[in-house]
Amino acid sequence: MKRHYRRYGIVLATGTAVIFLAAAFRPPHAARRNPTPYTLSYPAYFGNRINTTDDNPLTNEGVSLGRHLFYEKRLSANNSISCGSCHQQAHAFTDGRAFSPGFDGVFTKRSAMSLCNLLWVRHFFWDGRAASPEEQVVTPLTDAHEMGQSLDSSARKLRAIHSYAPLFTAAFGSDSITPDRIVRAIAQFERTLISAQSPYDRYIRGEYQPTVTEQRGLVLFYTNPDRNRGIRGAGCGNCHSGPKVFNETYHNNGLDSIPTDPGRADVTGMDYDRGRFRVVTLRNIALTAPYMHDGRFATLQAVIDHYSDHILPSLTLSPSLKDTANRPVNVQLTPEEKADLLAFLRMLTDSSFITDPRFSDPFADAGHHTKTDHHIISE
Amino acid sequence: MKRRFFVLVAIFCLVLPSAWAQAPQTASTGGQPAVVKVTGEVLTPLTLTATDLAAMPRTTAVAKDKQGVPHTFSGVALSEIFNKAGVTTGRQLRGENLAKYLLVTCADGYQVVFSLAELDSSFTDRVVILADQIEGRPLPAGTGPFRIVVPGEKKPARNCFQVTTLAIRFAKE
């Protein structure tokens, strides 16, 4: 009996030693490495009300895969467009158009939105209908007139491209390419598009002295006009408020007296939401013309003229654009005040954001997106 | 000066009726009746309609508008709504329940917070109400049908308009 135990003991000990040695001398690349957490860095003045989720933690590998997919034209039905077609980095992720052609040439119903500081957005799109980046991403991928391809087809097409298996493995621990993983990776990339290096940021951090006109514009932007006390202001900060120049609320900013696009009412079904749209960020606004949900204004000058002189009354016009103004309904700024406001809006341009290699097209110089390559796997 | 005023009035008169005329069409996109949802740390989640509020014990609250003019609002005390929904009030409002707060959400996405203690009659005499009337008439379209009225607050920023949700939450830290 005892001898038996001894024998077992020896066998066990040798076995353990063998396993231990095997583990110790295993070549490093054979080990299953977990993806490394991505470090989000942003200024404290943005606050921490961010839309991350434990379900889809950001990792360097996941974000990198997301970046590839963002620029992957084969995610569209005829391999002709990617997210990056409507959201171009040089234009702060817009495309310079009022409406954008989808893979089939049919134009979108609303203007492509600029993508920046999405980490603080809680409801996506002009009407706030998507409650997370994950939910949002599915729309352009599968919309019949945007990229026009089911998530299953997208996964199938990616499986046929050999370069993707290692990227999925690095990001998610195995090479299985699924609709869910495609969505997660792109959502991770979206969350990293942070813009916080504009002259306005440097001003907030005390590193930049605004010019006289920028300074006057800044004050006008944040001041509420008050006729009774003779205070002039443009009252923009009521809606585009704080250092993010973004406030997740929905307003009718007086574009139409009878809104043709129901906006937020499409989501809620409430009459009082008719013609209300999400107050979008003004960061990089000088780069994202044309403006508004339908791209009706070609220049920032036209936008300022709108708020100053052409606000249209309607049932749902925001109360903050009604009687608080320098004059009833309209703000009515002088030409000099308009120029000051414009100077302030230009302070919001972050030139490092639009050249940051972390957000750029990874296929741009790799020669990956050659014409022949596109046609290898057309469905 | 006078001329311009008349032109403005004329524009209003032209535009408003056409905007009203549009209203029935909006019914096809929805045009649902407004409600206030009471959710979160409650025993009975509620969806309150205008009729529900009319049937509850009513009270009034006075608050000044932006121009400093006082108005009398009527509606239902938040504490009354809390009792109906089974929120920890009065003698139950102690211990960990003091870490609870009310998050008010409005149709335009605006949100404000009150701690439960701020709204409880065992802590304060101030009665914050969910109002549906101003000077005995329904609230005007831009602020109604339901709004918060906090009497005696220096800044009217928590007197928020078009309330859609009252959520009771626990501070989680």
Side-chain angles (χ1 to χ4, degrees), chain A residues 28-320:
Chain A
H29 60 262
R32 242 265 277 111
R33 267 177 304 177
N34 287 328
T36 45
Y38 182 97
T39 316
L40 284 167
S41 76
Y42 54 85
Y45 54 73
F46 277 5
N48 298 305
R49 199 182 192 190
I50 57 176
N51 68 27
T52 49
T53 153
D54 294 344
D55 275 355
N56 189 17
L58 267 62
T59 63
N60 290 332
E61 295 78 0
V63 170
S64 164
L65 171 61
R67 172 176 163 224
H68 282 80
L69 296 175
F70 187 89
Y71 290 102
E72 179 53 78
K73 293 189 174 170
R74 285 167 291 198
L75 291 180
S76 66
N78 58 1
N79 307 323
S80 64
I81 61 168
S82 69
C83 312
S85 309
C86 297
H87 302 288
Q88 300 165 15
Q89 188 182 14
H91 294 282
F93 296 99
T94 57
D95 60 357
R97 299 168 182 258
F99 303 103
S100 319
F103 83 96
D104 56 354
V106 174
F107 285 85
T108 52
K109 289 206 237 35
R110 293 180 186 147
S111 190
M113 299 174 81
S114 87
L115 308 185
C116 113
N117 300 342
L118 297 174
L119 192 58
W120 289 269
V121 174
R122 285 171 296 125
H123 295 90
F124 293 78
F125 296 125
W126 286 105
D127 53 13
R129 66 188 181 277
S132 68
E134 284 77 8
E135 195 184 326
Q136 177 277 318
V137 164
V138 178
T139 299
L141 287 172
T142 58
D143 185 282
H145 300 298
E146 287 187 50
M147 298 166 76
Q149 180 165 283
S150 74
L151 294 176
D152 285 327
S153 307
S154 287
R156 213 166 36 238
K157 277 164 81 174
L158 293 185
R159 275 180 218 127
I161 306 167
H162 299 303
S163 54
Y164 274 108
L167 294 179
F168 276 83
T169 305
F172 297 112
S174 76
D175 63 1
S176 105
I177 297 180
T178 61
D180 182 55
R181 287 180 170 184
I182 295 173
V183 166
R184 279 164 190 257
I186 302 177
Q188 287 190 32
F189 175 66
E190 282 187 358
R191 291 187 170 98
T192 67
L193 299 172
I194 295 172
S195 170
Q197 302 298 334
S198 68
Y200 181 52
D201 291 286
R202 284 187 276 126
Y203 159 76
I204 294 173
R205 294 196 284 259
E207 298 158 7
Y208 174 76
Q209 176 63 49
T211 63
V212 176
T213 168
E214 284 171 347
Q215 179 67 45
R216 281 199 305 254
L218 194 155
V219 172
L220 268 177
F221 187 89
Y222 284 110
T223 306
N224 280 330
D226 186 337
R227 256 171 305 162
N228 300 336
R229 290 191 286 156
I231 296 171
R232 298 197 51 84
C236 314
N238 274 326
C239 296
H240 305 277
S241 58
K244 295 194 290 283
V245 274
F246 157 72
N247 190 359
E248 196 171 299
T249 53
Y250 306 88
H251 284 283
N252 173 338
N253 64 344
L255 298 175
D256 302 296
S257 44
I258 300 169
T260 44
D261 184 333
R264 182 75 181 151
D266 264 353
V267 180
T268 63
M270 300 303 297
D271 284 342
Y272 56 47
D273 286 327
R274 236 185 124 72
R276 276 182 176 167
F277 291 88
R278 208 183 80 208
V279 177
V280 285
T281 184
L282 298 186
R283 285 188 167 266
N284 300 305
I285 196 70
L287 304 171
T288 66
Y291 302 104
M292 304 299 166
H293 68 274
D294 52 5
R296 67 175 65 195
F297 298 128
T299 61
L300 278 180
Q301 189 63 56
V303 172
I304 294 173
D305 287 346
H306 162 74
Y307 282 109
S308 167
D309 311 312
H310 308 299
I311 297 277
L312 290 175
S314 67
L315 284 180
T316 58
L317 176 63
S318 167
S320 59

Side-chain angles (χ1 to χ4, degrees), chain B:
Chain B
M1 218 37 217
K2 251 190 184 154
R3 264 263 291 292
R4 203 178 274 160
F5 179 69
F6 276 115
V7 171
L8 257 176
V9 170
I11 291 177
F12 261 108
C13 295
L14 281 173
V15 168
L16 278 184
S18 54
W20 281 113
Q22 183 72 2
Q25 285 177 28
T26 66
S28 59
T29 62
Q32 294 165 20
V35 293
V36 175
K37 292 211 166 107
V38 187
T39 63
E41 302 282 341
V42 297
L43 297 181
T44 322
L46 305 174
T47 300
L48 298 171
T49 61
T51 327
D52 294 334
L53 284 179
M56 290 176 73
R58 312 267 309 170
T59 185
T60 58
V62 176
K64 289 180 185 162
D65 61 21
K66 268 190 196 152
Q67 282 71 40
V69 184
H71 294 283
T72 305
F73 294 87
S74 47
V76 177
L78 290 184
S79 56
E80 205 63 59
I81 295 174
F82 290 175
N83 288 337
K84 191 172 163 117
V87 178
T88 50
T89 54
R91 294 179 58 186
Q92 288 175 303
L93 192 49
R94 60 224 242 335
E96 66 166 9
N97 291 337
L98 286 171
K100 283 182 188 164
Y101 60 92
L102 164 69
L103 174 66
V104 183
T105 303
C106 304
D108 65 2
Y110 189 72
Q111 293 181 313
V112 298
V113 161
F114 297 84
S115 73
L116 282 198
E118 266 185 288
L119 303 170
D120 201 82
S121 62
S122 59
F123 283 78
T124 172
D125 292 329
R126 178 169 83 170
V127 180
V128 178
I129 70 168
L130 181 68
D132 52 10
Q133 293 188 328
I134 178 168
E135 318 290 10
R137 309 180 58 197
L139 295 171
T143 62
F146 313 114
R147 64 173 285 184
I148 296 287
V149 176
V150 192
E153 195 132 280
K154 274 195 192 166
K155 226 180 166 177
R158 292 200 292 184
N159 288 348
C160 47
F161 305 153
Q162 291 177 343
V163 173
T164 58
T165 311
L166 303 174
I168 310 294
R169 303 258 185 253
F170 250 125
K172 292 239 172 80
E173 310 244 290

